[in-house]
Amino acid sequence: MTQMIFINLPVADVDASARFYEAVGATRNDTFSDETCASMVISDTITAMLLSHARWRDFTSKQIPDAKSSAQVLLCLSMDSREACDAAVEAAVKAGGVADPIPKQDHGFMYGRSYEDPDGHIWEAMWMDEEEMKRSMAAKD
């Protein structure tokens, strides 16, 4: 079986969050979704599980942090191009997200942008030219 990752995120409004994630390219998997949870497929190996606060508490008694004022994780997805990074952020903003809570990064061989979802969870969109990175690193040696 291919290893997969399921990112569980507490959200204030499951339906609103699901609409946001659909707007940035995820697909809702109705088999694993209900009024307390939306299973949002990002790729064949990545799924975001958007859990209502009540459903989240079924998994842990730890306090749900306010992702708009604190951060516990930064989630980063690789993209096929710089333009795809920009398009991901543009789609997020159009759907109600916040652009670039982390400053834009441009290292020539690596480019990154970021956005916040409606609950404040930060997603990064990153592109890297691996061959150029290797050349750049070799030049430093």
Side-chain angles (χ1 to χ4, degrees), residues 100-120:
D100 299 309
I102 298 170
K104 187 186 305 187
Q105 299 175 46
D106 190 345
H107 303 286
F109 62 85
M110 186 171 72
Y111 178 77
R113 301 274 314 267
S114 60
Y115 60 86
E116 285 185 10
D117 73 7
D119 289 277

Side-chain angles (χ1 to χ4, degrees), residues 11-23:
V11 299
D13 183 326
V14 172
D15 289 332
S17 291
R19 286 190 300 276
F20 174 86
Y21 280 83
E22 286 175 329

Side-chain angles (χ1 to χ4, degrees), residues 37-58:
C37 172
S39 174
M40 305 303 297
V41 178
I42 295 169
S43 75
D44 291 343
T45 58
I46 306 168
T47 298
M49 301 298 291
L50 309 176
L51 306 171
S52 69
H53 289 192
R55 183 72 176 121
W56 177 268
R57 289 185 185 98
D58 289 340

Side-chain angles (χ1 to χ4, degrees), residues 48-118:
M49 301 298 291
L50 309 176
L51 306 171
S52 69
H53 289 192
R55 183 72 176 121
W56 177 268
R57 289 185 185 98
D58 289 340
F59 297 97
T60 181
S61 60
K62 289 186 176 184
Q63 181 179 356
I64 298 171
D66 178 1
K68 292 183 179 183
S69 63
S70 64
Q72 189 171 19
V73 297
L74 299 174
L75 306 160
C76 183
L77 294 173
S78 62
M79 300 285 163
D80 292 332
S81 66
R82 290 170 173 265
E83 295 78 16
C85 294
D86 292 336
V89 174
E90 289 168 15
V93 169
K94 188 175 180 180
V98 175
D100 299 309
I102 298 170
K104 187 186 305 187
Q105 299 175 46
D106 190 345
H107 303 286
F109 62 85
M110 186 171 72
Y111 178 77
R113 301 274 314 267
S114 60
Y115 60 86
E116 285 185 10
D117 73 7

